[in-house]
Amino acid sequence: LGGFVDGILLHQILQWHHMLSSTDTDNAGIRYYPADTVPGLRMNTLWDGLFHAVTWLAVLIGLGLLHSRVTTSRGRVWRSRTLWGWILVGWGAFNLVEGVIDHHLLGIHHVRTGPYQLWWDLGFLLLGALLMIGGWALQRTGGVLDLCRDDGPAAPR
């Protein structure tokens, strides 16, 4: 889900960067596709779409794992704090992995190019770490609810 926030907010709405928007200074030797030309924007949009496709597959896998966890646990359902905590952990992990690989190792794009791009990239990593820490803390306060068990006074025996 964090990948969707990144792609939709930073790539499409704010248009701060695209997947290949810094390949003129990258560490991978990828051909430069300037986003201010039609052919360059077409290539960047294609790679943004591939990024969204991979993100979509990751969400589908996550939903499948969640579904299998809920349906095989005999009525146990995660409470919201647990679910949202793990979602935040996943978002933070995405920021850290994508930030380290794409922004720092490959250098194919940055959060926002310009004189402060290193600070924007480091802020992205810091946000990822904070999301992981906050999510981990939140999920620890959640519990499980067993829908197959009712300990109330009107429960049939």
Side-chain angles (χ1 to χ4, degrees):
L1 293 175
F4 281 129
V5 172
D6 178 301
I8 293 167
L9 182 64
L10 300 181
H11 294 217
Q12 295 173 328
I13 295 174
L14 297 175
Q15 298 180 21
W16 283 1
H17 68 262
H18 297 282
M19 283 305 295
L20 303 177
S21 58
S22 293
T23 53
D24 57 333
T25 60
D26 70 337
N27 301 321
I30 298 171
R31 181 177 165 202
Y32 180 50
Y33 298 99
D36 59 354
T37 66
V38 173
L41 187 57
R42 287 185 70 197
M43 186 59 75
N44 274 287
T45 302
L46 170 66
W47 279 93
D48 286 350
L50 293 172
F51 169 75
H52 278 112
V54 169
T55 304
W56 182 70
L57 287 173
V59 169
L60 284 181
I61 291 168
L63 286 172
L65 291 170
L66 176 62
H67 181 266
S68 71
R69 175 79 185 254
V70 171
T71 58
T72 61
S73 61
R74 298 190 177 113
R76 292 173 65 160
V77 178
W78 292 350
R79 293 185 189 252
S80 292
R81 288 179 182 213
T82 304
L83 177 63
W84 285 104
W86 282 115
I87 287 172
L88 291 175
V89 168
W91 185 357
F94 161 80
N95 277 20
L96 290 174
V97 170
E98 196 268 341
V100 167
I101 292 173
D102 290 342
H103 305 169
H104 296 282
L105 295 178
L106 297 176
I108 60 174
H109 71 260
H110 300 281
V111 174
R112 187 149 192 187
T113 56
Y116 301 107
Q117 77 183 21
L118 177 62
W119 292 108
W120 282 102
D121 290 345
L122 292 175
F124 190 78
L125 294 177
L126 178 62
L127 175 62
L130 291 174
L131 286 168
M132 286 189 74
I133 292 166
W136 181 258
L138 181 63
Q139 66 83 27
R140 292 183 51 83
T141 65
V144 290
L145 171 67
D146 193 334
L147 298 178
C148 294
R149 194 171 152 207
D150 184 3
D151 293 330
R157 302 280 179 216

